[in-house]
Amino acid sequence: MTSARQPATRSYHHGDLREALVRAGFELAGGGGSAAVTLRAATRLAGVSPTAAYRHFSSHEELQFAVGMLALGDLARAIERCQAAAVAADPRDTSRARLVGVGDGYIGFALDSPGAFDIAMFGLFTMVDAAEPASTGDTGRTPYQLLTDAVGSLIAESRLPAAAADPAAITCWSTVHGFATLATRGPLREFPREQLNALGHELVRNLVDGLLTSPPGVSGRAG
Amino acid sequence: MTSARQPATRSYHHGDLREALVRAGFELAGGGGSAAVTLRAATRLAGVSPTAAYRHFSSHEELQFAVGMLALGDLARAIERCQAAAVAADPRDTSRARLVGVGDGYIGFALDSPGAFDIAMFGLFTMVDAAEPASTGDTGRTPYQLLTDAVGSLIAESRLPAAAADPAAITCWSTVHGFATLATRGPLREFPREQLNALGHELVRNLVDGLLTSPPGVSGRAG
DNA sequence: TGTACATCAGTGAACGCGCGTTCACTGATGTAC
DNA sequence: TGTACATCAGTGAACGCGCGTTCACTGATGTAC
């Protein structure tokens, strides 16, 4: 969106090495998670010497972070897709459907792309609501924002008390994140995909309906 | 429990290097999680040459696994302690209290000993219900067994349908595991400990009561 | 009780590996006159 | 339009690091006679 005074100016030597390195890192993550995203491997994949990376990233960590942001954007899009599907399946309750979509998208993305999910967490964990444009989906929202947006509409509809906003978001995130981890790298790892789909599907719906039935944050009974 | 024909036979050269290495590994994990449990660092800490480890472990992975088992045992004991406390706090509903104790213990252990928690997962994830004695608490049960035991008593009391056994265990584990991860290495990392305690406390009780109100596994409404 | 011997826990040097990072450089690109 | 020059993206060799693992060994322990 900056004025394009020069004709795209693409390609000094390589074209756009920064972009190529981030894409290479993303590909590596797909194979072996965040541990596979080394600076040398990325430059190797891009067909360039290791030193070249330092023209675009000041350190290995900066590359990892950039790859994480890219993966976060993919996660956001997966969530947006599931939200659309959930709304289509239950058009009379779009707020609930949008929250369901967050859960479905999160779990589905982890199952489909465990490596990308792993590196996405690298980015997520260092900046929850970073304004990094690369980390947003088609609606311009990060995965975390999509979650808080969905919780926010339930609050706006008085179906969740305002005080429940934070605890509800944390509960949702904890549940789907835990399941994604167990299913991806944990003891559920070798379950057939169909069964994981079914388990995740039910988990998310139980989670959302449980939340609406007895919202957290409103001091429950002592245990 | 084997016949002690020889007087404890302790100490060839070192005493019990295997034990010392596992303890060293555990100490390292306390500092930097599973990644810090290298074979060389463990031997260094034990004051022994790297090669010596190969008298007791066939590979680095075997050492990591042994350390994981030790950490799992600690986790089991943390759970047992929380179960006792929960039962004392609510003696009229011991089954519910025991399940609450699993959650409290799991989260508390992760918050108290993130490194040990990390390496414990290394062991857990490769063998959920291994019969490894090192991985059990004072009652001789592994953490996972303590969870299924607690769910089992609720089923025995007809407060949960038998069909809910597996999904309920998975839901519980997912939720507390996810929270432990977010609180330990995730975006909740820098929250004050007291707040995390409160959040975890409430999360667990909402989880358990939600489970008892609407058990999973009994095909809920479509979403 | 004393000596010869077998066992085997631990040593020390070395291997190859891939990593992140630094250095002085080269050579293609774009710019100024 | 053509030449001299500055820029700066990418090179290639090298560094030090810590890792897991192998090798031939040493020397303390326990055992047999």
Side-chain angles (χ1 to χ4, degrees), chain A:
Chain A
M1 282 309 162
T2 61
S3 72
R5 234 167 23 101
Q6 295 169 218
T9 191
R10 63 179 304 279
S11 175
Y12 275 167
H13 291 85
H14 181 280
D16 188 352
L17 184 52
R18 189 195 150 90
E19 174 73 10
L21 287 173
V22 174
R23 297 233 148 259
F26 186 79
E27 195 174 329
L28 289 165
S34 59
V37 184
T38 66
L39 194 144
R40 295 186 90 106
T43 53
R44 222 178 289 133
L45 203 57
V48 116
S49 77
T51 325
Y54 288 89
R55 293 282 157 196
H56 303 277
F57 303 96
S58 71
S59 68
H60 169 231
E61 194 183 2
E62 207 171 293
L63 169 63
Q64 273 183 292
F65 187 78
V67 177
M69 286 298 150
L70 183 68
L72 264 193
D74 264 26
L75 171 57
R77 275 180 289 275
I79 287 174
E80 286 164 354
R81 254 179 278 121
C82 282
Q83 284 185 317
V87 167
D90 185 8
R92 286 173 312 179
D93 193 347
T94 60
S95 292
R96 176 180 171 281
R98 279 167 62 210
L99 186 53
V100 164
V102 175
D104 285 349
Y106 198 91
I107 290 175
F109 182 73
L111 293 177
D112 287 338
S113 324
F117 178 70
D118 190 50
I119 191 76
M121 292 305 103
F122 188 91
L124 235 198
F125 284 5
T126 56
M127 288 175 95
V128 168
D129 30 21
E132 290 278 337
S135 68
T136 63
D138 297 332
T139 61
R141 310 293 282 163
T142 66
Y144 186 68
Q145 287 169 339
L146 290 169
L147 168 60
T148 53
D149 287 354
V151 170
S153 355
L154 288 168
I155 291 174
E157 293 172 4
S158 302
R159 299 164 69 185
L160 230 42
D166 284 353
I170 291 172
T171 299
C172 288
W173 195 358
S174 293
T175 307
V176 296
H177 183 77
F179 182 79
T181 308
L182 298 185
T184 280
R185 308 199 309 226
L188 309 182
R189 203 183 341 162
E190 310 197 355
F191 278 40
R193 177 63 198 263
E194 285 163 25
Q195 199 175 340
L196 291 176
N197 283 344
L199 281 168
H201 191 87
E202 196 194 340
L203 181 85
V204 168
R205 277 141 192 88
N206 277 322
L207 168 66
V208 171
D209 291 334
L211 217 62
L212 292 174
T213 312
S214 52
V218 278
S219 65
R221 66 140 149 166

Side-chain angles (χ1 to χ4, degrees), chain B residues 79 82-83 97-107 143 146-147 150 176 204:
Chain B
I79 287 174
C82 282
Q83 285 185 316
R98 280 167 60 210
L99 186 53
V100 163
V102 174
D104 285 350
Y106 197 92
I107 289 174
L146 291 169
L147 168 60
V176 297
V204 168

Side-chain angles (χ1 to χ4, degrees), chain B residues 75-169:
Chain B
L75 171 57
R77 275 180 289 276
I79 287 174
E80 286 164 354
R81 254 179 278 120
C82 282
Q83 285 185 316
V87 167
D90 186 6
R92 286 172 313 178
D93 193 348
T94 61
S95 292
R96 176 180 173 280
R98 280 167 60 210
L99 186 53
V100 163
V102 174
D104 285 350
Y106 197 92
I107 289 174
F109 182 73
L111 292 177
D112 287 338
S113 322
F117 178 71
D118 190 50
I119 190 77
M121 292 305 103
F122 187 91
L124 235 198
F125 285 4
T126 55
M127 289 176 92
V128 168
D129 30 22
E132 289 278 337
S135 69
T136 63
D138 297 332
T139 60
R141 309 293 281 164
T142 66
Y144 185 68
Q145 287 168 339
L146 291 169
L147 168 60
T148 53
D149 288 354
V151 170
S153 5
L154 289 169
I155 291 174
E157 293 171 6
S158 303
R159 300 164 69 184
L160 229 43
D166 284 353

Side-chain angles (χ1 to χ4, degrees), chain B residues 125-214:
Chain B
F125 285 4
T126 55
M127 289 176 92
V128 168
D129 30 22
E132 289 278 337
S135 69
T136 63
D138 297 332
T139 60
R141 309 293 281 164
T142 66
Y144 185 68
Q145 287 168 339
L146 291 169
L147 168 60
T148 53
D149 288 354
V151 170
S153 5
L154 289 169
I155 291 174
E157 293 171 6
S158 303
R159 300 164 69 184
L160 229 43
D166 284 353
I170 290 172
T171 299
C172 288
W173 195 358
S174 293
T175 308
V176 297
H177 184 77
F179 182 80
T181 307
L182 297 185
T184 280
R185 310 199 308 228
L188 309 181
R189 205 184 337 164
E190 310 198 354
F191 278 40
R193 176 62 197 263
E194 284 163 26
Q195 199 175 340
L196 291 176
N197 282 344
L199 281 169
H201 191 87
E202 196 194 341
L203 181 85
V204 168
R205 277 141 192 88
N206 278 322
L207 168 66
V208 170
D209 291 334
L211 218 61
L212 291 173
T213 312
S214 52

